[in-house]
Amino acid sequence: TDERSAQVQYVMEKALRKDIRARRRFLTSKPSVVIPIAQRMRMSANETSHQSLDSIFRHVQGPKVNKLASHFQEKVTSHLRDLGDIQEAKKDQAMKDAKLKIYQDICNKLVLPNIISKFMMETIPSAERLFQFRHVFTSQLAANSLLQYAFAVVERTPNRFVFCNSTGKILSQDFRSQYNHGLLEKHNVPFRMTRNITEFIGPFLLEGVFVPSFTIVSSAMHSKRSVLEPILHLLLRDDVMSWYISKSCAKNDQKIQEVERQLSDRVWSNIRFVQDRFEECSPRDVTDAAVEAVKSKPDPIDIKVRSLVDAATSAEKLSMMPSAYQAWL
């Protein structure tokens, strides 16, 4: 998975180099160094400047953080047990209400909303340098969030959200796509944009850097659709084949080739899934500017990205994520 992530980021970097809007904003996507050692073993570059959201949380708030995931699950179980026997439809709504309430209690009483800001102010005391770091961090986060959305990468737990505290680069640790019977599937939370992240980048960088960078990177990838297709086919084919072979007895070349033919439709479906997501996140084409101008509420050209940000920051949707996701961070 780390190798595939590095390959995708390498392709993205080449696309950004040839896009004039990306060059004007100095948008880059540097792949991490990954060296294969064995079938299930990889060696990747790791430095003391690399910090995960989990390690920052422990540094700022101490060892009590270990109990929050279990605390959340215990509270939900206790609440449902107190409800007793109720109808299935009402039980689902009660589950949502309970999770939302417990999530909000944790956010308000147990977890600070500015742990990244506190940590980075200790690391970078200069206000000017900190602002520059936040700017780079936000643009890198936009590129990484696009890959999370396009490839249906949902397991971005705090220990997998890693960045370099000296450069602002976002690292893609354990970048695994989520499959359902070999097909990429949609999710309610498109990428990790929890409250500590939004607090650190702030509303101005969210609107002025994150959203435009997200659309520009997506547009650059979409403009290379024909070049990207064979690369995506190779990456997604390997992913699906590895998933299927691990669950089957296809061990010789003939059986593997037969499995590949059977899974061909799923691979092409996944390719269309990724390509369509790059297309929908690109700036919306305005066919008639005059008609658009007279509308009382014209739609922004980046309306899709704005809707994704709303979904990623929604308290209702974040509260429904698994406890290991630690949405309160």
Side-chain angles (χ1 to χ4, degrees), residues 228-297:
L228 195 59
E229 187 174 285
I231 300 169
L232 286 177
H233 186 276
L234 178 63
L235 298 176
L236 296 173
R237 168 202 167 275
D238 287 352
D239 230 10
V240 173
M241 287 293 294
S242 299
W243 165 80
Y244 193 87
I245 291 174
S246 66
K247 299 178 181 298
S248 69
C249 57
K251 300 302 180 183
N252 57 53
D253 291 344
Q254 185 177 356
K255 288 184 177 180
I256 290 175
Q257 289 174 3
E258 180 62 29
V259 168
E260 187 174 348
R261 283 192 292 269
Q262 293 173 2
L263 296 176
S264 178
D265 289 343
R266 299 187 191 187
V267 173
W268 282 108
S269 178
N270 290 337
I271 293 170
R272 288 192 296 272
F273 179 95
V274 175
Q275 296 277 42
D276 289 347
R277 291 202 155 185
F278 285 140
E279 182 178 5
E280 69 187 25
C281 292
S282 301
R284 179 175 62 87
D285 291 329
V286 178
T287 54
D288 193 334
V291 173
E292 197 77 16
V294 297
K295 287 184 179 179
S296 58
K297 290 184 178 180

Side-chain angles (χ1 to χ4, degrees), residues 18-73:
K18 297 180 180 180
D19 187 271
I20 187 169
R21 291 170 300 178
R23 300 309 297 159
R24 284 173 178 167
R25 285 181 171 265
F26 304 102
L27 296 177
T28 61
S29 178
K30 299 293 184 184
S32 302
V33 178
V34 180
I35 302 172
I37 298 176
Q39 185 175 3
R40 294 182 178 274
M41 185 179 295
R42 302 289 182 269
M43 182 170 64
S44 58
N46 190 20
E47 300 179 16
T48 55
S49 59
H50 294 174
Q51 300 288 340
S52 69
L53 183 56
D54 182 66
S55 66
I56 292 173
F57 187 31
R58 294 171 188 276
H59 174 80
V60 175
Q61 291 207 228
K64 65 179 182 180
V65 300
N66 295 329
K67 302 177 181 179
L68 284 179
S70 57
H71 169 79
F72 178 82
Q73 201 58 47

Side-chain angles (χ1 to χ4, degrees), residues 37-152:
I37 298 176
Q39 185 175 3
R40 294 182 178 274
M41 185 179 295
R42 302 289 182 269
M43 182 170 64
S44 58
N46 190 20
E47 300 179 16
T48 55
S49 59
H50 294 174
Q51 300 288 340
S52 69
L53 183 56
D54 182 66
S55 66
I56 292 173
F57 187 31
R58 294 171 188 276
H59 174 80
V60 175
Q61 291 207 228
K64 65 179 182 180
V65 300
N66 295 329
K67 302 177 181 179
L68 284 179
S70 57
H71 169 79
F72 178 82
Q73 201 58 47
E74 288 170 5
K75 286 287 186 180
V76 172
T77 305
S78 175
H79 184 83
L80 292 178
R81 188 168 52 246
D82 293 341
L83 291 174
D85 294 331
I86 58 175
Q87 296 178 359
E88 194 64 30
K90 292 183 178 180
K91 187 175 182 180
D92 290 342
Q93 186 59 44
M95 170 81 78
K96 291 179 181 179
D97 294 341
K99 286 189 172 184
L100 178 59
K101 183 179 183 304
I102 298 164
Y103 164 79
Q104 290 173 335
D105 286 344
I106 292 175
C107 290
N108 295 331
K109 300 175 182 178
L110 300 177
V111 178
L112 294 172
N114 58 345
I115 59 170
I116 301 180
S117 296
K118 281 178 172 289
F119 179 81
M120 291 311 304
M121 287 176 69
E122 292 178 10
T123 308
I124 306 176
S126 166
E128 185 177 352
R129 282 190 57 211
L130 182 59
F131 177 81
Q132 181 62 29
F133 176 89
R134 288 170 61 207
H135 193 286
V136 175
F137 176 89
T138 306
S139 62
Q140 287 282 304
L141 180 65
N144 190 270
S145 298
L146 173 62
L147 292 181
Q148 289 180 50
Y149 175 64
F151 289 89

